[in-house]
Amino acid sequence: MSDADVSPLMRQYREIKRAYADAILLFRVGDFYEMFYEDAQIASKLLSIALTSRDKSSIDPVPLCGVPHHAAQGYIAKLLKAGRTVALCEQMEDPKLSKGLVRREVVRLYTPGTLVDTEFLSPGESHFLAAVAFSDDMTPSTKGGSIAGLACLDVSTGEFWVTEFEGEGAETQLMDELARLEPREILLPDSNTKSCLARLSGARLCAKPSAFFDPEEASRLLQTQFAVHSLEGFGCRGLTVGIGSAGAVLRYFRETQPSASLGHLRRLQPRWSGDTMHLDSATIRNLELIQPMEASEPRSGQGRPTVLSVLDRTTTAMGSRLLRSWLVRPLLACSAIQARLDAVGELKDRIPQRVSIRATLRDIQDIARLSSRVTLGVIGPRELLALKQSVSALPELRSHLQPLHASLLTVARESWDDCREVHDAVDQAIKPDAPMSLRDGGTIRDGYNPLIDELRKASTEGKGWIASLEAKERARTGIDSLKVRYNQVFGYYIEITKTHLSRVPSDYIRKQTLVNAERFMTPELKELEERVTGAEMKLLALEQELFEQLRLRLAGAMPRLQAMAQTIALLDVLAGLAETAALHRYIKPLVDDGDSIFIREGRHPVVEQLSHDLTFVPNDTDLDCAGNRLVILTGPNMAGKSTYLRQVALVVLLAQIGSFVPATEARIGLVDRIFTRVGASDNLAAGQSTFMVEMIESAHILNSATSRSLILLDEIGRGTSTYDGLSIAWAIAEHIQDRRHLGARTLFATHYHEMTQLEGLREGIKNYCVAVQERDGDVVFLRKIVRGGADRSYGIHVAKLAGLPQTVVARAQQVLAQLEQPDAPTGNMPGSSEKEATCGSLPQPHPIIEEMKQIDLFSMTPLDALNRLADLQRRIGPTDQDNRHK
């Protein structure tokens, strides 16, 4: 159907929809937002609302659904959660005053990365809009080589930063950074050919023309935003692709939110990769820093705890977001770590101050987001009252810092700003019981403005006059049920039920007929209505004008409010970490530039909270870059090897974010990277098996680690045949141990007990195992790490605990007994019939280890060593392929 064949309203809708083809268009019609055509069909399913049609008598009715305008936010949130963008189209003039079709315009485009509304934001999480570009997608940089640029904006707080990654690992570093950030929306050039970005999940990808990322145009745009002649003053010298990404972020926000002010964006902060530890996505996942690897526990109905949930004792949303950022960005400078540890230590020891600080912080709401909403022009009266309440707590909070002497706390106290004028300005202007929305009226205090008081009196008295008129007309007509009422369509009117219509005076003017009543107007009521509604409209307009003036005044204090928001977040995190340390018996670690990692009675911070009535068994750790470089850890399944590996990494990580740690003593030689290869996973979408994923992650570790890294490897090689897996695990262990190749501090858990022989073959390798106790045929896991190697994995015992049928367990024990006999025949296994002989016969062990001892793998490159071991593997085993052990 062409535009000429539809009504003027639908023609207007179509014209607006063409500009927002990819969005769900909420089209304001009276008191509803209506959706038409395909939008209606999609939205009705996502929102579970009725789908009807417009022009039902037409041959081609238009699909239609709608939502009430006062409840629109909840429906918009559902559409956004479903991955849709939403265009909000408002009526730009009063329908009662409009001649012809009401003018309509899109005033807001809701996208996942540009949200500022409180109901759409998670208090404890940043809400980033990111832009990604590669030097391959634009004019080559003068730096040469591949460069990845990344810019991120959290418009709800004003956080805006940029970074670049160079060299062969640029793509990997970018993906790891995106994993840490978890942006809601990512902009990228439509010419981008990087397959890695297509694998991103959880973020909306939005392709834009390459010109959108032009560095020169972006630089001009950013200079205009910040009112500067150069970005070098922000430390951005030499950045090119990153600046293009930052410009794309700014341009996109302005395109989608044309009416929003960005006055709270005052600077662009460069973030350099050398400032903090680079944690890759696998390590963040394997250590369960932010998200659990397992589903919710059925018995509790709650999600499995994470390191963040255990540590987070913050009382403000600002503090919670900062702690989350610290956790995925450990520090690399001992001085900065020590400053945090000193502050946490003093707050832990000074209990009265800590309790008072945390109690006062509970009265402070999200100043960062509230102040941003002031500048964006979207703050409401109640939110201004929340800002006033939060600012009113600042003097008391400052007083609690007076007795404290740690450097971070002293700097916070000396730079403190009570922002008193912000409190006073709101207190003088806004009523304590102000409504949520400015449109509801009653926002400005009595006495703040003389004209407000005059109009409010006229409105109040006018309503009294109308009430008096109702009593007068009842007496005049003798109709006790007569009522004077009001609605937005007809204004004021007199309503009389049909049983009393015979008593209606002749000067009553009929306005509307209902089923059971009639509505009338009188000249006197009309005059009173004009007085009352005129006063109310003027009052509302003046309140909105005064509120806007107040908002502009407060916007001038935005930089100070943002600075205090950062200070409060810092104080909240430090006090929260001190509280956690006191509750869970954490101790202050010693962090230095040495290479020793010594932990006495270390504990896993999350697992010990899950132990419930059981006592968590602590364990010691002693690693360095000399005689204790690589620990070969053996032991039974389910004995706690993986937990031990993770707990060592977490103690190191917590120390380097400036937190106390779960141990009785800890000396941590600074670690530049933490690498983990723990657990089994696959990537079927990319056509990668479990073993391939394991090898890719292992290759990443060997190519990226340095001698100052901490490496955790759990059961490398288990995804393939026994001899292939053992060969690979052996070669990887030798490569890491060799100082000429790596020499990094490493914990290597394995079920290949043959690897314990490495201790006697290579220096710097030590064997440890998890102690067990056998009692009456049962096995007790002692969870204690002790010197030496294990010779059994007790897999059959674990299978029994898992509930395997007893016949299967018994048969497995028979097979194991046969295999453990060095001179066992290769014929029938115990309990097998002759027909089953080929299934029950297994090859005898082969002396691969003895031959490997004669090979000087230490002098070979990793590739040569693997080739040599592969040649050995081809030569072992019987020539009869039916009997070859797979």
Side-chain angles (χ1 to χ4, degrees), residues 132-134 137-138 187-193 206-210 213:
V132 171
F134 292 87
D137 300 322
M138 54 191 67
L187 311 177
L188 67 161
D190 54 12
S191 60
N192 181 269
T193 58
C206 181
K208 289 289 181 180
S210 296
F213 299 79

Side-chain angles (χ1 to χ4, degrees), residues 19 98 104 201 251 272 313 380 428 551 637 708 777 790 853 882:
S98 173
R104 293 177 173 86
S201 61
R251 186 177 304 173
W272 305 107
R313 292 264 181 323
Q428 292 166 10
R551 186 192 68 77
N637 293 292
R708 292 210 63 97
K853 288 181 182 179
D882 289 337

Side-chain angles (χ1 to χ4, degrees), residues 368-389:
R369 284 181 172 167
L370 287 172
S371 57
S372 293
R373 289 178 65 77
V374 170
T375 309
L376 288 163
V378 295
I379 197 161
R382 290 268 183 92
E383 291 173 314
L384 275 189
L385 292 175
L387 182 61
K388 181 193 81 168
Q389 173 196 326

Side-chain angles (χ1 to χ4, degrees), residues 327-346:
L327 201 54
V328 295
R329 290 184 177 81
L331 297 174
L332 293 177
C334 288
S335 57
I337 295 170
Q338 193 60 47
R340 289 183 183 177
L341 289 172
D342 290 345
V344 173
E346 187 172 16

